[in-house]
Amino acid sequence: MPFKPNFSKIAGIINVSRNSLDDYFSYMEKAGLIGQLRNETSGILGLAKVDKVYLDNTNIIFNLVGDQSNIGNIRWAFGLNY
């Protein structure tokens, strides 16, 4: 399911700096693995505010969880890509 990330907590779990984690998520987004949905905050503050993270391709969802995938998650990923 798309989730609202806590970047500080994720950075602590995988033992990287908070700034590096932002870069890693950006690289994964550019590679087409994930999508980051940002809120409507304008200006420079809007760049850092990620509202949700989702898998960018429905095929990735099926490969990770198979038949146990959530249809709402698949619709969410498909709808945001088109």
Side-chain angles (χ1 to χ4, degrees):
M1 294 293 289
F3 71 98
K4 184 167 182 141
N6 182 339
F7 284 109
S8 299
K9 194 175 209 180
I10 295 170
I13 291 170
I14 62 174
N15 201 20
V16 297
S17 73
R18 167 79 169 73
N19 294 336
S20 295
L21 188 65
D22 288 337
D23 292 339
Y24 297 153
F25 270 71
S26 176
Y27 298 147
M28 287 190 291
E29 186 174 31
K30 287 179 184 177
L33 296 174
I34 64 169
Q36 299 184 74
L37 185 63
R38 290 174 171 73
N39 62 11
E40 296 182 13
T41 304
S42 62
I44 194 82
L45 293 176
L47 296 175
K49 299 285 186 180
V50 175
D51 200 27
K52 291 188 179 183
V53 175
Y54 63 95
L55 291 173
D56 198 47
N57 189 330
T58 56
N59 291 327
I60 297 172
I61 298 169
F62 283 114
N63 283 326
L64 291 175
V65 295
D67 292 336
Q68 297 175 344
S69 57
N70 182 314
I71 192 67
N73 187 24
I74 294 168
R75 287 182 187 139
W76 183 264
F78 185 81
L80 289 173
N81 282 313
Y82 292 100

